[in-house]
């Protein structure tokens, strides 16, 4: 019997393949970057052909390095950068345009128009998302309106749409030669085109963005067998698809309502499991699907997206030159006992959740002659914690399941000063999982569940291990004072861009 499960993580900057054994321990991995194409200010594209080539290459190399064969794998799962939009010809497999990446803001005017005539409110209501350039629907409309012949080909069903999960899955299962054209509920919930209740494409939303139904993939569960792989993974069931942040929630085994994880990378994403029904947000969060296992109802989540966290540390390194590596920020911050009254609000391109203010720009508040680079380093770290606090406050206000502890992963969680401060300002324990690759692990877990490699969620939960935990130590009065100061600093970022 096959002893392992594989997972492809098609990410924004790179694609990786990992293999896990029954205990959830990594046995193989390989990773390759792809080009970031920046044709104009605000535009970000990827070449889908390059992405697929990289995907095949990482699978082949990872298996080869570990002397594994496709027959050693019980299943393979897929996790991916979300919202990135690809349209291709189903007969040739050729993309009609480069992938338009989630960060791309060319659809500004499309998003703004949705809010002018009431379509925006229908999207908020039914899809759980505020109209924004971030989501796939507007990007898809842009391709249909700007690539010659695209709309006609889409109406005939010759040109088809997919996010990277769909693109990889279609190619993996044969491409033009019988490739399966499906997406999962988590990826579909980021398009502005899916009804969160029916979990199907919504005719009124398709109409609002003028998207022909014939080009859309079928929406399926996150954990089920979609088809059998060809090529390097010949014969392996392809058995999961999950957006990257949802996969991390799954890998962190946050299966109960009230359980949450935050992934601290370039930006940070906090997802709270809210259970079997979607919770609409009145406080600036996104309502999204967390996962759906075949044969079970969907599980929903509230999501808070913070644009700038780890990238603020990079800014301290690359733009100010105060440190030479990201981890050095901790050493520098430890040269002082506190922030000295200084706060950094990194609204570099406006504020995301829960504010959603595109007119905001960053500030350093509370500067005096006393402030040193140590205080700045501390304020930089504290900014990630306070931004998390704002998202958690919004979540507690939106849902009646209050956060009791936070599971964390990602590059910044190596910073113990930050982790302690995070527990202090959230006033809940912060727990770091032993496995840092929660995204790949989540996709592998979902695929393994679908084929019976793991019998049930309880087995996965029992496998979860923490490697460190931080408990709140801050005096409540001090916390409140610091929170007031942070809020004052946030106020000073607003109304900057006219
Ligand atoms: P991503 O998956 O978004 O590329 P990672 O999870 O690899 O991100 O984390 C990288 C980010 O974390 C970078 O922005 C970096 O500045 C930050 N980072 C890495 N190590 C530390 C550290 N010890 N302290 C603070 N920030 C860190």
């Amino acid at each position: 019997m096959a002893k392992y499960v594989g997972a492809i993580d098609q990410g924004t900057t790179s694609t990786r393949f990992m293999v896990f054994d029954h205990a959830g321990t990594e046995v193989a991995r390989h990773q390759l970057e792809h080009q970031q194409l920046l044709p104009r200010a605000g535009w970000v594209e990827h070449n889908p052909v390059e992405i697929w080539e990289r995907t095949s290459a990482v699978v082949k190399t990872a298996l080869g390095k570990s002397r594994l064969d496709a027959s050693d794998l019980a299943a393979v799962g897929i996790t991916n950068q979300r919202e990135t939009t690809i349209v291709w010809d189903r007969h040739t497999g050729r993309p009609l345009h480069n992938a338009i990446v989630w960060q791309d803001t060319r659809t500004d005017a499309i998003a703004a128009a949705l809010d002018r005539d009431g379509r925006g409110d229908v999207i908020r209501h039914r899809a759980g998302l505020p109209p924004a350039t971030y989501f796939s629907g507007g990007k898809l409309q842009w391709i249909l309106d700007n690539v010659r012949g695209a709309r006609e080909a889409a109406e005939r069903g010759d040109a088809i749409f997919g996010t990277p999960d769909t693109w990889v899955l279609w190619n993996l299962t044969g491409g033009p030669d019988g490739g399966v054209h499906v997406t999962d509920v988590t990826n579909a919930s980021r398009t502005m085109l899916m009804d969160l209740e029916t979990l199907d494409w919504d005719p009124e939303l398709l109409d609002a963005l003028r998207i022909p139904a014939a080009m859309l993939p079928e929406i399926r569960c996150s954990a089920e067998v979609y088809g059998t792989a060809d090529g390097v993974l010949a014969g392996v069931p392809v058995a999961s698809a999950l957006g990257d942040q949802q996969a991390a929630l799954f890998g962190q085994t946050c299966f109960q309502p009230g359980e949450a994880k935050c992934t601290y990378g370039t930006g940070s994403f906090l997802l709270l499991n809210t259970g079997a029904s979607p919770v609409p947000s009145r406080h600036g969060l996104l309502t999204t699907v967390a996962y759906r296992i075949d044969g079970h109802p969907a599980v929903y989540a509230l999501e808070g997206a913070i644009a700038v966290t780890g990238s603020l540390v990079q800014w301290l390194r690359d733009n100010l030159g105060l440190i030479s590596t990201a981890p050095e920020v901790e050493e520098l911050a430890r040269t002082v006992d506190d922030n000295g009254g200084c706060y950094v609000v990194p609204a570099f391109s406006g504020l995301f959740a829960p504010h959603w203010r595109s007119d905001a720009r960053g500030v350093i508040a509370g500067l005096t002659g006393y402030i040193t680079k140590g205080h700045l380093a501390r304020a930089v770290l504290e900014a990630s914690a306070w931004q998390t606090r704002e998202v958690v406050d919004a979540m507690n206000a939106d849902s009646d399941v209050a956060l009791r502890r936070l599971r964390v992963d990602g590059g910044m969680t190596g910073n113990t000063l930050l982790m302690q401060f995070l527990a202090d300002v959230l006033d809940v324990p912060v727990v770091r999982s032993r496995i840092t690759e929660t995204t790949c692990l989540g996709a592998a877990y979902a695929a393994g569940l679908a084929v019976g490699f793991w019998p049930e969620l309880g087995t996965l939960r029992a496998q979860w291990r923490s490697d460190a935990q931080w408990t709140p130590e801050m005096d409540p009065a001090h916390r409140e004072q610091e929170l007031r100061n942070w809020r004052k600093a946030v106020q000073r970022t607003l109304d900057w861009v006219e």
Side-chain angles (χ1 to χ4, degrees):
M1 199 188 127
K3 291 194 302 237
Y4 307 112
V5 173
I8 295 165
D9 178 0
Q10 201 304 291
T12 306
T13 54
S14 68
T15 305
R16 74 174 67 171
F17 182 65
M18 292 184 72
V19 178
F20 298 93
D21 67 11
H22 214 268
T25 307
E26 171 184 341
V27 298
R29 90 155 85 181
H30 194 62
Q31 179 168 350
L32 286 173
E33 294 193 350
H34 56 264
Q35 274 194 72
Q36 305 295 314
L37 307 168
L38 310 166
R40 291 189 205 179
W43 292 31
V44 189
E45 299 181 354
H46 294 156
N47 176 355
V49 175
E50 184 190 15
I51 282 185
W52 171 241
E53 283 168 5
R54 294 285 189 265
T55 306
S56 307
V58 292
V59 171
K60 199 167 169 195
T61 307
L63 292 178
K65 278 198 296 197
S66 314
R67 300 187 191 291
L68 294 173
D69 187 78
S71 63
D72 293 313
L73 303 181
V76 61
I78 298 168
T79 176
N80 57 289
Q81 50 167 327
R82 303 177 300 176
E83 298 101 8
T84 295
T85 299
I86 308 172
V87 176
W88 69 96
D89 182 318
R90 75 155 85 235
H91 308 293
T92 63
R94 265 201 297 278
L96 273 65
H97 191 271
N98 275 333
I100 302 185
V101 179
W102 58 274
Q103 299 139 320
D104 189 296
T105 55
R106 79 184 66 184
T107 56
D108 240 349
I110 293 178
L114 291 170
D115 253 335
R116 274 199 300 273
D117 57 17
R119 287 175 294 166
D121 282 333
V122 183
I123 295 173
R124 272 190 195 86
H125 233 84
R126 227 166 274 173
L129 307 172
T133 59
Y134 186 18
F135 308 110
S136 318
K139 300 178 197 293
L140 178 51
Q141 185 186 331
W142 189 93
I143 292 176
L144 293 174
D145 288 344
N146 289 278
V147 177
R148 187 199 286 255
R151 184 170 291 281
E152 296 72 29
E155 273 159 6
R156 289 193 308 269
D158 291 337
I160 55 179
F161 155 76
T163 36
D165 53 315
T166 304
W167 170 247
V168 167
L169 214 155
W170 186 80
N171 280 291
L172 201 56
T173 53
D177 195 13
V180 180
H181 187 219
V182 299
T183 186
D184 93 300
V185 282
T186 68
N187 279 293
S189 76
R190 318 293 293 190
T191 58
M192 305 199 289
L193 304 172
M194 188 186 81
D195 181 329
L196 276 178
E197 298 277 355
T198 65
L199 300 174
D200 208 346
W201 304 119
D202 182 88
E204 199 179 333
L205 296 179
L206 295 188
D207 216 39
L209 284 140
R210 297 187 297 114
I211 307 296
M215 75 181 315
L216 299 175
E218 186 186 346
I219 303 176
R220 302 272 286 270
C221 292
S222 322
E224 70 167 273
V225 178
Y226 311 111
T228 306
D230 217 355
V232 275
L233 287 172
V236 181
V238 186
S240 78
L242 291 148
D244 52 10
Q245 297 305 325
Q246 281 89 341
L249 186 77
F250 207 83
Q252 287 273 25
T253 69
C254 293
F255 302 138
Q256 299 287 329
E259 291 183 334
K261 71 90 202 177
C262 191
T263 301
Y264 288 91
T266 315
S268 293
F269 296 86
L270 200 160
L271 270 75
L272 170 75
N273 181 325
T274 58
S277 47
V279 175
S281 178
R282 282 167 292 113
H283 298 90
L285 304 171
L286 309 179
T287 308
T288 200
V289 182
Y291 58 87
R292 184 178 183 193
I293 297 167
D294 196 13
H296 298 268
V299 172
Y300 294 87
L302 278 171
E303 171 174 323
I306 307 168
V308 179
T309 52
S311 53
L312 181 60
V313 176
Q314 287 169 261
W315 177 80
L316 203 66
R317 183 192 64 193
D318 304 336
N319 296 37
L320 299 194
L322 291 185
I323 48 176
S324 54
T325 65
E328 272 174 36
V329 68
E330 179 162 1
E331 218 174 294
L332 184 56
R334 284 189 190 277
T335 60
V336 292
D337 292 331
D338 56 31
N339 60 24
C342 173
Y343 302 83
V344 180
V345 187
F348 288 168
S349 44
L351 288 168
F352 276 30
H355 307 283
W356 300 103
R357 289 287 295 258
S358 53
D359 60 325
R361 285 300 177 270
V363 297
I364 301 178
L367 279 183
T368 61
Y370 170 71
I371 298 299
T372 64
K373 56 187 177 180
H375 296 118
L376 263 186
R378 211 167 248 268
V380 157
L381 291 178
E382 292 182 359
S384 293
W386 287 120
Q387 292 187 98
T388 311
R389 165 73 192 245
E390 292 179 320
V391 166
V392 167
D393 285 349
M395 282 186 176
N396 287 340
D398 270 338
S399 88
D400 45 14
V401 280
L403 184 76
R404 277 172 291 113
R405 67 174 180 166
L406 184 65
R407 293 185 172 187
V408 296
D409 51 67
M412 291 188 96
T413 63
N415 190 311
T416 58
L417 183 67
L418 170 61
M419 292 299 104
Q420 180 58 51
F421 190 73
L422 184 61
D424 285 341
V425 307
L426 297 182
D427 199 20
V428 297
V430 168
V431 195
R432 187 173 67 197
S433 69
R434 186 176 297 172
I435 301 227
T436 51
E437 303 298 338
T438 52
T439 307
C440 270
L441 184 66
Y445 274 173
L449 270 182
V451 296
F453 183 79
W454 288 292
E456 46 156 12
L457 293 179
T459 316
L460 302 178
R461 210 177 190 17
Q463 285 184 181
W464 188 86
R465 296 275 180 282
S466 80
D467 82 336
Q469 167 156 340
W470 293 268
T471 46
E473 286 169 359
M474 192 181 274
D475 165 55
H478 181 55
R479 178 187 306 124
E480 284 314 305
Q481 181 57 50
E482 286 297 308
L483 177 59
R484 269 197 300 280
N485 289 347
W486 168 261
R487 287 189 174 141
K488 274 196 290 184
V490 169
Q491 284 306 312
R492 280 159 176 72
T493 68
L494 304 178
D495 297 318
W496 184 260
V497 179
E498 286 166 5

